[in-house]
Amino acid sequence: MTEPKEDTLYPRAPIVEAVVELRFEDVPASRLRKTADAIQAQYENRVIEKLFEGHLNFEAQSSSFKEISDRFRFSSWDQTNLLILTSQAATWSRLAPYDGWPQFCRRIAEQLPKIHKSLGRPRSTRLGLRYINRIDIPLEADNLCYHEDYLTFHIATDDILDPTDGFQWALTKKFPAKGLAVNVQSASVVSELSHHSAVSFDIDVFTLVDV
């Protein structure tokens, strides 16, 4: 581990994707199509994907497939603002460069009432906010990168495993008093910068109560 460094701020957020997902009870295909048509004007692109369910029976050497529903994928002209609609969820995403929570929240606040009404106001079952970060870390003179200098969350290992060639970990924590839970996970990933390594840092905060 290197000597402690002074805290420095990224010139821009290391967020590669911000996600808000609202899950709800299954809605009919007709409602889903009506909602997709109602929201179409707010995005430049729309792609319809077919979802199938498959079953394999190895003993009988047979298989069967059934179409479940459509999935509607909306995107802005530059593919940074996304909305995915299925019969059980509405998922808003903002890809890098992340322009801040106020702008992201404003888009959701404008579209959510229309989507919820058009779907027939189904009962919501889960609401989650997720930030997926990629943190690029420069290699030191010894050609190693010290993740612990950049993340307070890290795996402590014995000397026999140090340095590692890669890592991955995940944890879940519930906060019953607040009706919240969080999934946090991290892994070593390929950096897009020369002479750097990188780690992902994925935070998913959600509630299943009083949605």
Side-chain angles (χ1 to χ4, degrees), residues 38-199:
I39 206 72
Q40 169 71 67
Q42 299 190 38
Y43 292 90
E44 285 80 12
N45 306 301
R46 181 172 89 164
V47 175
I48 303 175
E49 302 170 339
K50 298 291 184 180
L51 301 182
F52 292 86
E53 181 179 79
H55 296 277
L56 299 177
N57 187 323
F58 291 99
E59 291 185 358
Q61 297 184 0
S62 65
S63 62
S64 63
F65 297 90
K66 179 178 68 174
E67 183 176 334
I68 302 175
S69 66
D70 291 334
R71 176 167 62 190
F72 295 86
R73 184 183 187 276
F74 301 91
S75 60
S76 57
W77 67 271
D78 59 358
Q79 301 291 318
T80 58
N81 292 318
L82 307 176
L83 168 64
I84 296 176
L85 280 179
T86 71
S87 62
Q88 296 181 331
T91 306
W92 291 266
S93 294
R94 168 69 192 192
L95 304 182
Y98 182 63
D99 51 5
W101 173 249
Q103 292 85 344
F104 187 34
C105 185
R106 188 179 304 116
R107 174 163 63 100
I108 298 169
E110 291 173 354
Q111 297 173 8
L112 178 55
K114 179 181 292 187
I115 289 174
H116 195 238
K117 179 181 179 180
S118 185
L119 287 172
R121 295 187 171 88
R123 188 178 72 86
S124 301
T125 58
R126 186 186 191 273
L127 177 62
L129 169 63
R130 184 178 181 186
Y131 281 106
I132 304 171
N133 302 271
R134 190 192 76 240
I135 300 172
D136 296 295
I137 302 173
L139 298 179
E140 302 289 346
D142 54 8
N143 211 36
L144 296 176
C145 108
Y146 296 88
H147 302 139
E148 62 269 29
D149 289 340
Y150 292 80
L151 282 178
T152 55
F153 286 79
H154 62 272
I155 300 173
T157 62
D158 292 331
D159 291 342
I160 192 173
L161 294 176
D162 193 21
T164 62
D165 295 317
F167 73 89
Q168 182 176 5
W169 58 260
L171 61 86
T172 298
K173 172 68 176 177
K174 295 180 180 179
F175 302 90
K178 297 182 179 297
L180 298 173
V182 60
N183 295 321
V184 182
Q185 53 187 325
S186 182
S188 51
V189 296
V190 176
S191 175
E192 297 182 2
L193 303 179
S194 175
H195 206 65
H196 280 67
S197 179
V199 296

